[in-house]
Amino acid sequence: MAKRILIVEDNEHFRIILGSILRSAGYKTIEAETGTEAIQKALSMSPHLILMDLDLPDATGIDVARKLKENPTTAAIPVIACSAWSMREWKEEAMNAGMADYLQKPIPAELLKRTIEKFISR
């Protein structure tokens, strides 16, 4: 059975690109545009990994990751930040919130796949 990856991204164009890359690599994708939707889908669909944009319309991805890590149902799901924010402080805050890794946009497809494979085995 294909591993499920939740893509949390409000930019439709980037969400489509990520989904296409992941599906071609054999993953099943789930999509969310907001932090609220991400939490709901993480709880109801039990993804194996979450790719989290940091700049969402209703929250920061860092705040969403904290909420996911506080909930026993979602705490063990690896969350990888995917952001254009390049400041070291953002990366440190994301990692302190429990994120497993931090990828800066634009993300090369091979780097994305390698990073995902570090956290979930196929």
Side-chain angles (χ1 to χ4, degrees):
M1 181 197 283
K3 301 285 183 171
R4 295 175 305 283
I5 298 177
L6 173 57
I7 301 168
V8 184
E9 172 63 59
D10 64 322
N11 181 301
E12 181 181 14
H13 180 71
F14 195 64
R15 200 172 56 248
I16 290 168
I17 291 170
L18 284 174
S20 177
I21 292 167
L22 296 175
R23 286 187 299 278
S24 72
Y27 296 105
K28 181 178 180 342
T29 61
I30 306 161
E31 297 182 2
E33 295 180 40
T34 67
T36 302
E37 187 180 4
I39 292 168
Q40 292 168 346
K41 288 190 175 182
L43 287 166
S44 66
M45 303 182 100
S46 302
H48 295 94
L49 184 133
I50 299 171
L51 296 176
M52 180 77 66
D53 184 19
L54 296 187
D55 189 15
L56 298 169
D58 62 343
T60 69
I62 291 169
D63 291 335
V64 175
R66 281 190 185 108
K67 289 179 183 174
L68 291 168
K69 294 303 175 181
E70 290 169 358
N71 187 321
T73 304
T74 55
I77 301 170
V79 179
I80 298 173
C82 297
S83 180
W85 297 349
S86 61
M87 292 177 48
R88 189 182 87 243
E89 293 81 13
W90 284 110
K91 181 176 181 178
E92 288 173 4
E93 190 171 350
M95 302 307 276
N96 289 337
M99 291 193 180
D101 209 334
Y102 192 100
L103 297 174
Q104 187 175 338
K105 296 175 187 173
I107 306 165
E110 288 307 313
L111 175 61
L112 177 66
K113 290 187 270 187
R114 266 195 328 269
T115 303
I116 289 169
E117 288 178 8
K118 284 192 313 190
F119 298 102
I120 59 175
S121 57
R122 307 210 304 136

